Amino acid sequence: METGFTRRRLTDREAGTVLASLRAWEPSAGCGWQLQAGDLGWALRFEPAIRDEQIRVWWDATGRCAAVILCDQPGSARCAVNPAYLHDSTLADAVLADLSRRLDRAGGGPWIDPPPGPGALTRALLAAGYEPDPDIWLHLWRPLPGAVAEPPAEPTVRAFRSADAAQRVAVQHAAFPGSSLTPERYQRLRAVPGYRAELDLVGTVDDRITAFCLAWLGPPGGTALLEPAGTHPGHRRRGHASAVIAEAFRRLARLGATGVAVLTPVSNRPAVALYRALGFTAVAERRSYWPAPP
């Protein structure tokens, strides 16, 4: 079998193929470990020029997707690798060489998040002098359907509507200061393969959006992803995010998902506490790798 790999920009025509590949690489049951389809789906909201900078797709000699790299934060890269190539040193060396050129070291980077376990990319990082970042991320998972609390009187939880765009974007910015979301990007997001309108949820009080959650299906019968979920600061600690996420659980279960995953830093204690209260348990720790200090 040929072992040559090439990287090229992700076209709109190929986006569905790459998203399907990410879903296929996920285990059919239990918790997904790598960059997931929902992560890439959320990143596809950007304009083509930004997507070209953030998304790097590698293909094998037969035209099969071999690896997907998402550089959606300054100096960082999250990597998913086709299980057939997890231990392929040729692909790992090519990916690392490309990322070393691509990622700058501003702010102490680059941070590279390889697939977990002793795969070829992790071995290549260690051989190149990288070391694990001390900051730990928790991979949290919850089975579906599981016990789901009855919806409270407030907020009212429903699917996003086109007329909500300006409000939805404003609440995203309030929940995550510095967010890059715009109404135009939200419109683009809604055209991404894999986006499902019934899984794009908002919580409202007096017709004002207070919380939101966007869920993405994984492989059939597998793990779904929440990306993003948040609450307006003026409505935190009132159960609004919990209500929206609980409705996402119900809808995901009806669509055949058997579990749902989130990834959050250990240092984000409020988020960890919220997810644990919703029935999530930590199933793995994730660490990025960065160059050892000289």
Side-chain angles (χ1 to χ4, degrees):
M1 182 177 67
E2 293 186 63
T3 57
F5 299 96
T6 57
R7 180 181 64 79
R8 63 176 184 265
R9 64 182 293 272
L10 178 63
T11 65
D12 289 339
R13 181 174 57 84
E14 291 173 328
T17 298
V18 174
L19 287 163
S21 296
L22 285 171
R23 292 190 187 95
W25 300 348
E26 287 288 312
S28 58
C31 184
W33 300 114
Q34 302 190 57
L35 173 71
Q36 293 176 274
D39 297 309
L40 182 62
W42 176 243
L44 288 173
R45 69 192 184 278
F46 286 109
E47 296 79 8
I50 297 177
R51 285 165 39 183
D52 289 350
E53 284 294 310
Q54 291 190 348
I55 302 168
R56 310 175 88 72
V57 182
W58 290 82
W59 306 83
D60 69 11
T62 69
R64 185 171 54 163
C65 189
V68 182
I69 317 298
L70 181 59
C71 306
D72 58 342
Q73 298 294 329
S76 72
R78 290 186 282 166
C79 309
V81 176
N82 186 324
Y85 295 121
L86 275 174
H87 300 286
D88 191 297
S89 60
T90 300
L91 176 61
D93 291 344
V95 168
L96 181 54
D98 177 62
L99 289 177
S100 296
R101 292 189 296 268
R102 163 68 178 80
L103 300 175
D104 61 51
R105 298 196 176 200
W111 290 273
I112 298 177
D113 184 8
L121 184 53
T122 297
R123 294 195 299 271
L125 287 165
L126 293 171
Y130 284 68
E131 61 183 24
D133 188 333
D135 189 21
I136 299 172
W137 286 64
L138 283 182
H139 206 133
L140 298 152
W141 182 81
R142 182 195 192 280
L144 292 176
V148 179
E150 289 299 314
E154 289 186 338
T156 299
V157 180
R158 59 169 175 79
F160 171 89
R161 300 168 184 161
S162 297
D164 295 329
Q167 261 200 80
R168 171 65 181 80
V169 169
V171 176
Q172 177 89 17
H173 281 259
F176 301 108
S179 170
S180 61
L181 192 62
T182 65
E184 294 76 20
R185 288 173 177 170
Y186 210 96
Q187 182 65 27
R188 191 176 295 110
L189 171 72
R190 298 178 71 202
V192 168
Y195 170 90
R196 298 186 64 133
E198 69 268 38
L199 296 178
D200 189 357
L201 303 175
V202 296
T204 67
V205 175
D206 297 329
D207 293 325
R208 302 298 299 175
I209 295 175
T210 62
F212 56 86
C213 173
L214 177 56
W216 302 82
L217 285 170
T223 293
L225 180 74
L226 305 182
E227 178 61 33
T231 307
H232 190 286
H235 295 273
R236 287 177 180 159
R237 300 185 182 278
R238 300 179 187 176
H240 289 219
S242 297
V244 177
I245 292 171
E247 178 60 22
F249 292 163
R250 285 186 279 267
R251 296 187 181 207
L252 287 167
R254 288 197 295 267
L255 291 168
T258 57
V260 60
V262 293
L263 194 66
T264 189
V266 170
S267 57
N268 189 347
R269 294 182 179 180
V272 173
L274 168 65
Y275 290 125
R276 288 191 185 279
L278 288 168
F280 285 83
T281 57
V283 293
E285 293 181 354
R286 296 293 301 271
R287 291 179 185 267
S288 298
Y289 287 75
W290 62 339

